[in-house]
Amino acid sequence: MSLEEAKQFAARRAVDEYIKKDCIFGVGSGSTVVYAVQRLAERVETEKLKVTCIPTSFQSKQLIIKHKLTLGELETHPVIDVTIDGADEVDAEMTLIKGGGGCLLQEKIVASCSKKFVVIADYTKDSVKLGDRYKKGIPIEVVPMAYVPVQNKIQALYGGEVKLRKAVAKAGPVVTDNGNFILDWIFTDQDLRWDKVDNHLKMIPGVVETGLFVRMCEKLTLGSLKVT
Ligand code: ABF
């Protein structure tokens, strides 16, 4: 199975298994989710489902609009039946690194409002320990004025290297959908207690959210190398 086939397989399987009629659906971000939305659009057309879609980013909002699905928001739909989203890495305890695409804040808000949070991923995301496969570090969304002190504090607390994300080297910083910057923390210790780290990082003034999703993912649908 190619990488794209694995993404598509995981996405279609999750939509078929978890999207029931008349549900409120949280739409994640990233390339795997594109296949989930395509599958949902097919099912809405053929099965006449009434699904209201809550986006997790500008990208996913555009995807919902492009496929002529019903767009909703948390103000009117604060409780979501199921959210399907991608991940950058998933460890053996289903702790996730997310935010490679810079959408971690809205993704975490939407996931936290969901009765069921399902992650779809291809075989390259499946790890024993965080950092085994994904080498770009843990994304951390920060208020722009605070990025340097936050960088210094994380490095002093936990070591490693904390880099300001730029779209292109020497260019300006990546700005999130919420007007913030992203730091990528390349950690060295893979045996940290990620729940504690997540809480600890969020206590640093200026940190808005981290890309660590601990005990949030209930179901993982993986596209494996072999056809199953
Ligand atoms: C988002 O998309 C993320 O949080 C993660 O960064 C990414 C996974 O992307 P892809 O499906 O493109 O591999 O959900």
Side-chain angles (χ1 to χ4, degrees):
M1 210 189 253
S2 74
L3 195 63
E4 287 310 307
E5 285 168 340
K7 289 181 188 194
Q8 192 170 8
F9 175 87
R12 292 178 74 91
R13 174 173 274 191
V15 168
D16 289 351
E17 190 169 350
Y18 298 108
I19 303 290
K20 313 284 178 210
K21 66 180 178 101
D22 304 347
C23 77
I24 311 299
F25 173 43
V27 182
S29 309
S31 58
T32 314
V33 165
V34 172
Y35 293 117
V37 174
Q38 284 170 358
R39 177 62 185 147
L40 177 66
E42 286 172 15
R43 289 193 54 202
V44 166
E45 176 74 21
T46 55
E47 298 170 39
K48 308 290 172 222
L49 300 179
K50 281 189 194 149
V51 177
T52 302
C53 298
I54 314 297
T56 54
S57 61
F58 182 76
Q59 179 225 351
S60 81
K61 186 175 177 184
Q62 295 295 303
L63 205 54
I64 295 163
I65 293 169
K66 178 178 161 196
H67 287 276
K68 301 188 169 53
L69 296 166
T70 305
L71 182 65
E73 54 192 334
L74 285 179
E75 259 175 291
T76 47
H77 298 90
V79 180
I80 295 170
D81 293 305
V82 57
T83 288
I84 297 179
D85 201 351
D88 298 303
E89 192 170 34
V90 186
D91 77 6
E93 294 175 345
M94 294 219 279
T95 299
L96 316 174
I97 295 180
K98 286 178 54 56
C103 312
L104 59 120
L105 174 57
Q106 293 186 40
E107 288 172 349
K108 204 183 264 191
I109 293 169
V110 169
S112 76
C113 297
S114 306
K115 293 184 204 164
K116 195 181 282 288
F117 178 51
V118 178
V119 169
I120 49 176
D122 62 78
Y123 49 84
T124 64
K125 312 293 183 65
D126 191 19
S127 275
V128 176
K129 289 183 180 183
L130 295 187
D132 282 349
R133 285 174 174 268
Y134 190 67
K135 305 295 182 192
K136 294 182 185 165
I138 295 170
I140 299 166
E141 182 154 348
V142 292
V143 172
M145 67 167 293
Y147 87 89
V148 171
V150 171
Q151 269 177 317
N152 294 342
K153 284 174 187 169
I154 296 172
Q155 280 167 184
L157 278 168
Y158 289 110
E161 191 187 358
V162 184
K163 297 180 181 171
L164 177 65
R165 189 181 296 179
K166 295 179 176 180
V168 190
K170 295 188 183 168
V174 166
V175 177
T176 70
D177 287 349
N178 317 294
N180 295 315
F181 291 170
I182 299 279
L183 298 176
D184 290 298
W185 170 35
I186 321 289
F187 55 94
T188 47
D189 182 354
Q190 288 183 269
D191 293 311
L192 291 167
R193 284 273 315 270
W194 295 116
D195 51 348
K196 290 195 172 161
V197 173
D198 186 37
N199 288 331
H200 205 177
L201 293 176
K202 281 189 287 196
M203 287 175 68
I204 301 172
V207 170
V208 180
E209 192 48 89
T210 85
L212 279 168
F213 284 50
V214 187
R215 288 189 285 278
M216 294 185 82
C217 168
E218 277 177 69
K219 300 282 179 191
L220 171 66
T221 306
L222 206 62
S224 69
L225 260 176
K226 294 184 189 145
V227 180
T228 49

